[in-house]
């Protein structure tokens, strides 16, 4: 098997010394973590390594020697380095050497006479990796099973995941920064010293009590909302129908997740928290902007002034439509009597609606002002409220739709059962199937008569049904797009997307290699880079769950329902109960 | 060691195969497709402009002309960035893995790396494409649960679609490395 050495790029210019790292025997690869410089005392190095081993549960050992020749060949140093192999015994003992020019590398692995696979120079792969990026990156999908304890040996993590795991676990080794003076001088990826800011420290101190307070308030709020008064029939029913209530409940869940006292344990949980936080923050910021726009320059008054005429105009348009339907719409000849009855019925309804709106009109500005205040809870709440207002203002269209659909449904139902009679069959309820049946002459006569009547009345009903269904679909589309927008704000993982944008190596889909160059007789050098996760997978992996209050309707089932006159989305349950 | 061979793809277009042998354990195959030709670009632009002028004479609305400019620009950008693949590279490294890189005409690169532990084999397969039967190189991945099963088939050189003679060249070199890998991994 080819012998692989993973070497951090930050150590390429380090002085000569010892290589410290982990040996993965099953893949015959050595992961170099740091270089120990001369002078050192072997006992102290061994002590340090045992400390790191205990803290990180990674078998960190001395792997070999590192020799950086700045001047000409030094015979003495070479022999000295070979001698070190007897102090720190390791099998195989690595001898990594870099010539002065910087491009010429050599690597020898001296093994005990263990196997025929003692690698020659050609059989060694030198893979450079950026220690910081590998340390901070998070492989997707996570290879280590979630139920595994952190203390277990990472034996099962295969291939490159083992390298990532090793580097991530030996964070203890990298903790010392550039200005630390220890007994052993190490060279590895180092931070530029820990920066301390008084604001950050204050925020850290304040975070605990704030979380406690807010979570207590939230628990109080949830206790109030579960009290008995709100379980009474009309309130709970209305709450389950209004999308605003759903949205507020959803946001409350988010807030209680954010301010929960126990911290996030896994990276996925942490990412979820951060995503929720950014989503809430963005939501509130957009809501505040909306609030500032609404309450500045008397926009609310203008809105209220336009809202009432618009509702009036919609009602007028409906009236015209009905009058058109009561004549000869598109040259069709309707059943005149039924047409007139239906038209008058709907016209009366619109009349009622207009008077209702005129009754409301003095208060609309006040109502809008208060509704506008809800934008400080977030844009999503304001949008859900807008959706609810649209639903309330187009209640007449909904009523028309329900009446039309019911009539049409009855017609279709009657026609289908009479069609069976026509063919000498009937629906057997007990066996849930169609049986043949011999009817009397009278039964057949009456049935045929009714069938004829229904067939001739069907076009009129179907026309009304068609027109009102189209109107209803228009309203549902507007509401649906509002809900889509709300869902987008609710579920978009903005923090992850931002992380992918600014720090692509943090979310890794894998690695990619680049060949740095090869000379005959020298080991092949490769550069290992982090392959960032594509945006689509970032969004897919870290999507927050949305409200989930929408029934999943496929297009075919929707069309089927429309054809048979069954009621569609979203107030289906309500209409069932009323019926 | 590096050499360049010329092959043709399934439609008869020219393809250049560059082979780089870095070491006995690491080889790279780079297939370059022909670049975007000026002729097709001009043809598409002219046809869009003629259609836009036709509409413009009918409707007398200058919005159509500016829309045509935007459509051409955005379409070209999208084509170069997401559709047109200039080069496809297969890098195979013994005991480390197989890396497939496709570089788009705009310079974007998308890379997939498959670890050697997951690779079961590399084969040439037949497939029905439109009205003809074509050959393609693909990598078989091991099923982690069942050691003899195949969990996935990853096609290589998906956009270049070279002919069988080119595929055989690549296949032989890959099999050499795979055989070497198998021989060394089982012996100790």
């Amino acid at each position: 098997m080819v012998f692989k050495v993973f070497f951090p790029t930050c150590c390429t210019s380090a002085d000569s010394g010892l290589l410290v790292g982990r040996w993965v025997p099953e893949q015959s690869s050595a992961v170099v973590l740091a270089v120990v410089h001369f002078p050192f005392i072997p006992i102290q190095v061994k002590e340090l390594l045992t400390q790191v081993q205990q803290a990180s549960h990674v078998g960190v050992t001395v792997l070999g020697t590192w020799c950086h020749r700045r001047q000409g060949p030094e015979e003495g140093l070479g022999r000295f380095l070979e001698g070190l192999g007897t102090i720190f015994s390791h099998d195989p003992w690595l001898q990594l050497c870099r010539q002065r020019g910087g491009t010429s590398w050599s690597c020898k692995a001296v093994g005990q006479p263990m196997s025929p696979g003692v690698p020659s120079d050609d059989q060694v792969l030198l893979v450079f990796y950026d220690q910081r990026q590998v340390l901070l990156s998070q492989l997707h999908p996570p290879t280590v099973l979630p139920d595994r304890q952190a203390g277990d040996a990472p034996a099962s993590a295969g291939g490159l995941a083992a390298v990532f795991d090793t580097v991530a676990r030996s964070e203890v080794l990298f903790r010392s920064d550039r200005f630390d003076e220890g007994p052993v001088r190490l060279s590895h990826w180092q931070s530029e010293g820990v920066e301390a800011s008084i604001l950050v420290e204050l925020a850290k101190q304040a975070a605990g009590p704030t979380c406690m307070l807010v979570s207590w308030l939230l628990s109080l709020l949830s206790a109030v909302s579960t009290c008995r008064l709100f379980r009474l029939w009309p309130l709970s029913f209305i709450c389950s129908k209004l999308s605003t209530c759903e949205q507020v409940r959803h946001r409350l869940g988010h807030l209680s997740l954010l301010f929960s006292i126990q911290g996030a344990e896994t990276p996925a949980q942490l990412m979820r928290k951060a995503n929720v936080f950014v989503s809430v923050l963005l939501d509130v910021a957009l809501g505040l902007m909306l609030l500032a726009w609404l309450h500045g320059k008397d926009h609310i008054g203008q809105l209220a002034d336009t809202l009432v005429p618009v509702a009036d105009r919609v009602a007028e348009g409906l009236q015209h439509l009905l009058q058109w339907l009561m004549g000869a719409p598109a040259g069709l000849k309707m059943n005149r009597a039924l047409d007139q009855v239906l038209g008058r019925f709907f016209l009366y309804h619109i009349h009622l609606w207009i008077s209702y709106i005129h009754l409301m009109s003095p208060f609309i500005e006040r109502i809008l002002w208060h509704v506008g205040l809800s934008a400080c809870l977030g844009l999503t709440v304001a949008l859900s409220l807008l959706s609810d207002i649209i639903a309330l203002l187009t209640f007449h269209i909904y009523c028309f739709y329900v009446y039309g659909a019911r009539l049409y449904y009855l017609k279709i139902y009657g026609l289908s059962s009479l069609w069976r009679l026509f063919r000498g069959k009937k629906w057997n309820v007990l066996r849930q199937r169609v049986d043949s049946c011999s009817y009397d002459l009278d039964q057949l006569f009456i049935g045929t008569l009714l069938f004829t009547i229904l067939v001739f009345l069907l076009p009129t009903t179907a026309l009304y049904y068609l027109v009102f269904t189209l109107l209803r679909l228009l309203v549902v589309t507007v509401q649906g797009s509002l809900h889509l927008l709300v869902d987008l704000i609710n579920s978009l993982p903005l923090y992850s997307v931002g992380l992918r944008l600014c720090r692509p190596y943090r979310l890794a889909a894998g690695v990619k290699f680049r060949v740095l160059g090869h000379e005959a007789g020298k080991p092949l050098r490769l550069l290992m880079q982090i392959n960032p996760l594509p945006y689509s997978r970032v969004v897919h992996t870290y999507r927050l769950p949305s409200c989930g209050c929408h029934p999943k309707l496929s297009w075919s089932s929707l069309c089927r329902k429309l054809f048979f006159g069954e009621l569609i989305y979203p107030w289906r349950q309500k209409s069932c109960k009323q019926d | 060691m590096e050499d360049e061979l010329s092959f043709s793809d399934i439609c008869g277009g020219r393809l250049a195969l560059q082979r780089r042998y870095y070491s006995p354990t690491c080889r790279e195959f780079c297939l370059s497709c022909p670049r975007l030709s000026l002729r097709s670009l001009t043809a598409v632009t002219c046809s869009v402009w003629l259609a836009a002028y036709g509409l413009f004479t009918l409707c007398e609305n200058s919005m159509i002309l500016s829309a045509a400019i935007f459509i051409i620009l955005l379409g070209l950008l999208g084509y170069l960035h997401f559709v047109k693949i200039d080069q496809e590279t297969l890098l195979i490294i013994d005991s480390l893995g197989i890396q497939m890189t496709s570089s788009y005409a705009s310079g974007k690169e998308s890379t997939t790396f498959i670890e050697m532990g997951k690779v079961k084999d590399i084969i040439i397969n037949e497939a029905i494409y439109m009205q003809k039967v074509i050959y393609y190189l693909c990598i078989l991945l091991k099923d982690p649960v069942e050691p003899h099963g195949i969990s996935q088939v990853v096609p290589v050189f998906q956009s270049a679609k070279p002919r069988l003679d080119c595929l055989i060249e690549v296949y032989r070199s890959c099999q050499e490395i795979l055989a070497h890998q198998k021989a060394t991994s089982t012996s100790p």
Side-chain angles (χ1 to χ4, degrees):
Chain A
M1 205 163 188
V2 177
F3 186 78
K4 286 162 292 200
V5 182
F6 290 86
F7 192 75
T9 41
C10 47
C11 294
T12 48
S13 55
D15 293 333
S16 305
L18 281 178
L19 295 174
V20 174
R22 178 175 168 227
W23 168 248
V24 188
E26 56 262 35
Q27 297 164 46
S28 73
S29 57
V31 186
V32 176
L33 295 171
V35 173
V36 180
H37 298 303
F38 300 116
F40 55 81
I41 304 166
I43 299 292
Q44 280 178 343
V45 174
K46 282 179 180 169
E47 267 177 19
L48 178 81
L49 290 183
T50 44
Q51 275 174 20
V52 171
Q53 271 190 27
Q54 275 169 2
S56 64
H57 302 281
V58 175
V60 179
T61 47
V62 174
L63 289 175
T65 54
W66 158 248
C67 161
H68 189 182
R69 289 200 185 126
R70 292 176 194 273
Q71 283 88 36
E74 300 161 54
E75 282 302 315
L77 186 64
R79 219 168 297 137
F80 172 59
L81 288 177
E82 274 173 28
L84 278 173
T86 52
I87 303 176
F88 304 97
S89 60
H90 188 263
D91 178 42
W93 183 252
L94 268 179
Q95 283 180 335
L96 197 63
C97 194
R98 185 188 181 194
Q99 296 298 333
R100 186 164 36 127
T103 52
S104 176
W105 293 69
S106 68
C107 183
K108 251 191 283 177
V110 182
Q112 328 251 292
M114 47 147 194
S115 56
V118 171
S120 68
D121 246 8
D122 254 0
Q123 297 272 308
V124 177
L125 272 181
L126 200 56
V127 182
F128 293 96
Y129 68 95
D130 191 322
Q131 207 161 36
R132 176 160 173 268
Q133 292 191 358
V134 172
L135 175 69
L136 291 177
S137 73
Q138 190 193 338
L139 266 184
H140 290 80
T143 44
V144 181
L145 296 174
D147 56 310
R148 173 163 312 209
Q149 291 301 310
D152 282 356
S156 78
L160 291 162
V163 178
F164 276 73
D165 197 68
T166 307
V167 179
R169 274 161 185 254
S170 26
E171 207 184 340
V172 192
L173 195 65
F174 311 134
R175 202 161 278 163
S176 64
D177 60 52
R178 170 164 307 191
F179 310 106
D180 274 357
E181 287 289 336
V184 180
R185 276 200 312 134
L186 283 170
S187 175
H188 49 75
W189 168 66
Q190 278 160 330
S191 61
E192 302 281 334
V194 182
E195 280 186 44
S197 153
I198 191 154
L199 283 179
V200 172
E201 290 304 313
L202 277 179
K204 272 184 192 164
Q205 291 296 321
T210 317
C211 280
M212 294 255 284
L213 184 71
V214 173
S215 59
W216 182 73
L217 281 178
L218 285 174
S219 63
L220 202 70
L221 207 62
S222 61
V224 166
S225 68
T226 51
C227 92
R228 210 164 210 188
L229 187 64
F230 292 94
R231 295 258 183 91
L232 291 179
W233 176 71
L235 270 179
S236 66
F237 179 70
I238 289 174
C239 276
S240 69
K241 291 300 158 215
L242 290 183
S243 54
T244 317
C245 292
E246 292 284 337
Q247 181 59 32
V248 168
R249 206 171 294 149
H250 195 63
R251 276 287 176 230
L252 275 184
H254 277 173
L255 283 181
S256 58
L257 174 80
L258 267 185
F259 290 105
S260 65
I261 301 164
Q262 70 262 39
E265 283 152 8
T266 60
Q269 278 177 357
L270 186 72
M271 197 66 99
R272 187 176 141 76
K273 262 194 172 181
N275 279 328
V276 167
F277 180 67
V278 173
S279 158
V280 169
L281 211 65
L282 178 87
D283 191 16
V284 170
L286 285 177
L288 285 181
M289 273 164 66
L290 182 74
L291 193 71
W293 182 79
L294 272 181
H295 285 242
K297 288 196 193 166
D298 195 31
H299 281 294
I300 287 206
Q302 290 171 14
L303 263 184
D305 286 345
T306 52
L307 202 62
V308 177
V310 163
D312 259 351
R313 209 170 306 142
V314 169
E316 260 174 45
L318 278 177
Q319 262 176 344
H320 283 299
L321 186 73
L322 281 172
Q323 269 153 11
W324 180 68
L325 285 177
M326 282 163 73
L332 294 174
K333 262 196 166 174
M334 302 281 121
N335 184 308
R336 188 156 178 75
L338 182 66
D339 205 21
Q340 291 288 330
V341 167
L342 283 178
R344 289 225 184 100
F345 175 69
F346 288 131
L347 275 182
Y348 176 65
H349 223 285
I350 290 178
H351 174 73
L352 278 182
W353 181 250
I354 289 179
S355 49
Y356 163 65
I357 284 194
H358 279 253
L359 208 68
M360 287 269 291
S361 58
F363 309 106
I364 277 194
E365 188 173 348
R366 187 84 47 84
I367 291 174
L368 273 185
W369 195 86
H370 284 104
V371 163
L373 280 186
S374 78
C376 67
L377 288 179
L379 183 69
T380 51
V381 176
L383 282 179
S384 324
L385 210 62
L386 181 68
S387 153
D388 285 341
I389 287 176
I390 288 177
L392 283 179
L393 280 183
T394 56
F395 191 66
H396 49 326
I397 292 179
Y398 177 69
C399 286
F400 293 166
Y401 167 70
V402 172
Y403 300 147
R406 283 289 138 186
L407 268 179
Y408 180 76
Y409 177 69
L410 279 179
K411 284 265 165 74
I412 292 281
Y413 189 74
L415 272 177
S416 66
S417 75
L418 287 173
W419 172 246
R420 282 196 288 270
L421 177 138
F422 210 56
R423 291 180 299 151
K425 294 191 169 165
K426 71 168 187 183
W427 175 252
N428 191 337
V429 185
L430 290 180
R431 299 199 173 177
Q432 295 283 311
R433 65 174 191 198
V434 177
D435 283 345
S436 59
C437 170
S438 61
Y439 289 101
D440 292 342
L441 195 65
D442 300 350
Q443 286 172 330
L444 274 178
F445 178 70
I446 296 274
T448 316
L449 207 64
L450 281 177
F451 182 79
T452 325
I453 293 175
L454 281 184
V455 163
F456 282 119
L457 288 185
L458 182 68
T460 315
T461 335
L463 189 74
Y464 275 90
Y465 172 65
L466 181 74
V467 169
F468 291 131
T469 306
L470 287 183
L471 281 177
R472 173 75 191 146
L473 281 182
L474 193 73
V475 174
V476 166
T477 315
V478 171
Q479 275 188 302
S481 49
L482 278 180
H483 283 181
L484 265 187
L485 195 61
V486 169
D487 264 4
L488 193 72
I489 298 177
N490 269 342
S491 64
L492 202 64
L494 279 168
Y495 177 76
S496 311
V497 171
L499 203 64
R500 167 67 184 80
L501 194 70
C502 304
R503 302 262 187 282
Y505 55 85
R506 287 293 296 272
L507 304 172
V511 291
K512 52 187 174 188
F513 289 92
R514 203 151 60 81
V515 179
L516 283 180
H518 176 253
E519 299 158 47
K522 302 276 184 211
L524 180 73
R525 287 179 298 136
L526 299 170
L527 179 67
M528 185 168 89
Q529 288 165 318
I530 305 278
N531 197 9
L533 207 64
Y535 282 102
S536 53
R537 275 192 57 201
V538 171
V539 171
H540 181 76
T541 316
Y542 291 109
R543 247 188 106 212
L544 299 170
S546 59
C547 257
C549 48
H550 313 302
K552 297 276 179 286
L553 258 181
S554 70
W555 285 105
S556 58
S557 74
L558 184 74
C559 289
R560 209 183 66 84
K561 278 190 168 178
L562 281 179
F563 182 74
F564 286 108
E566 286 173 41
L567 293 178
I568 51 161
Y569 177 76
W571 280 358
R572 186 158 180 256
Q573 280 178 313
K574 190 173 180 178
S575 62
C576 285
K577 278 182 187 170
Q578 279 174 350
D579 289 332
Chain B
M1 192 172 108
E2 182 172 344
D3 59 350
E4 187 166 340
L5 300 171
S6 179
F7 289 101
S8 58
D9 67 357
I10 54 164
C11 305
R14 267 176 49 84
L15 287 178
L17 174 73
Q18 285 178 342
R19 292 186 296 183
R20 296 191 196 105
Y21 292 170
Y22 293 111
S23 76
T25 58
C26 173
R27 289 173 190 184
E28 192 176 41
F29 304 94
C30 183
L31 250 149
S32 331
C33 310
R35 304 244 158 195
L36 183 65
S37 72
L38 191 65
R39 199 185 296 163
S40 58
L41 187 67
T42 320
V44 170
T45 317
C46 285
S47 55
V48 171
W49 269 98
L50 282 178
Y53 265 114
L55 277 177
F56 175 66
T57 46
L58 280 178
C59 316
E60 309 242 322
N61 190 350
S62 62
M63 281 288 284
I64 293 170
L65 294 182
S66 33
I69 294 177
F70 272 106
I71 286 172
I72 287 180
L73 281 180
L74 290 181
L76 191 64
L77 279 183
Y79 179 74
L80 289 182
H81 198 67
F82 295 112
V83 182
K84 173 75 180 154
I85 291 179
D86 259 1
Q87 223 177 33
E88 279 184 292
T89 312
L90 182 78
L91 177 71
I92 175 161
I93 309 166
D94 188 9
S95 83
L96 205 59
I98 302 175
Q99 174 171 293
M100 292 173 293
T101 311
S102 25
S103 30
Y104 290 83
S106 68
K108 186 178 99 164
E109 281 195 347
S110 73
T111 310
T112 326
F113 179 78
I114 302 170
E115 282 176 50
M116 216 37 131
K118 288 184 193 163
V119 175
K120 189 173 172 65
D121 206 352
I122 295 183
I123 57 164
I124 294 180
N125 204 1
E126 279 178 319
I128 298 174
Y129 176 74
M130 304 289 215
Q131 82 288 7
K132 52 194 160 193
V133 174
I134 63 167
Y135 297 93
Y136 64 95
L137 194 69
C138 59
I139 304 171
L140 304 182
L141 300 191
K142 269 181 207 160
D143 202 337
V145 186
E146 191 190 348
H148 293 292
I150 294 164
S151 68
Q152 212 183 336
V153 176
V154 183
V156 189
F157 301 135
Q158 224 171 345
S159 81
K161 297 201 189 68
R163 283 192 182 170
L164 187 60
D165 50 353
C166 173
L167 288 181
I168 285 175
E169 283 291 324
V170 179
Y171 173 78
R172 284 210 181 114
S173 310
C174 290
Q175 283 299 335
E176 274 174 29
I177 288 187
L178 282 185
H180 181 252
Q181 145 100 10
K182 266 175 202 151
T184 50
S185 64
T186 48
S187 61

